């Protein structure tokens, strides 16, 4: 997708943007990725809680650490996938 936007830099989202609205192109791009994703996850969480009030919410994976401080109702385990694969391996 970036190949057709020669003027836009490649960015990395390895930490939370400083502000909801970026003050330059890079900060605006980071905010445009971070906050909609955060709001989507929180919206899904709210809907899941309505239907399944006692559900455990788990945040895992590479970008989970970026969002974990803003997703208070979630259990964060960055290695959950690897732990699961290991359990499958042990039990087979």
């Amino acid at each position: 997708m970036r190949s057709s936007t020669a003027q836009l830099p490649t960015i990395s989202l390895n930490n939370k943007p400083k502000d909801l609205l970026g003050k330059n192109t890079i900060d605006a791009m980071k905010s445009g990725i971070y906050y909609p994703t955060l709001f989507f996850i929180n919206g899904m969480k709210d809907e899941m809680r309505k239907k399944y009030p006692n559900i455990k919410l788990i945040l895992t994976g590479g970008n989970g650490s970026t969002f974990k401080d803003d997703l208070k109702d979630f259990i964060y385990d960055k290695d959950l996938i690897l732990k699961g694969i290991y359990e499958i391996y042990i039990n087979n």
Side-chain angles (χ1 to χ4, degrees), residues 28-91:
M29 289 173 64
K30 287 183 177 185
S31 292
I33 294 168
Y34 184 83
Y35 288 103
T37 303
L38 178 68
F39 299 152
F40 171 77
I41 294 169
N42 273 318
M44 288 293 293
K45 173 199 68 171
D46 294 343
E47 292 303 313
M48 295 289 277
R49 288 267 188 230
K50 286 179 192 174
K51 188 163 184 160
Y52 310 103
N54 298 319
I55 194 169
K56 286 187 179 182
L57 301 166
I58 302 171
L59 181 65
T60 188
N63 288 332
S65 63
T66 303
F67 292 93
K68 70 180 175 135
D69 293 335
D70 286 325
L71 296 170
K72 300 294 184 203
D73 294 339
F74 287 75
I75 298 165
Y76 174 66
D77 185 341
K78 89 171 189 180
D79 296 322
L80 183 64
I81 302 288
L82 295 174
K83 291 174 184 175
I85 291 170
Y86 178 74
E87 287 297 320
I88 291 169
Y89 172 77
I90 294 297
N91 290 308

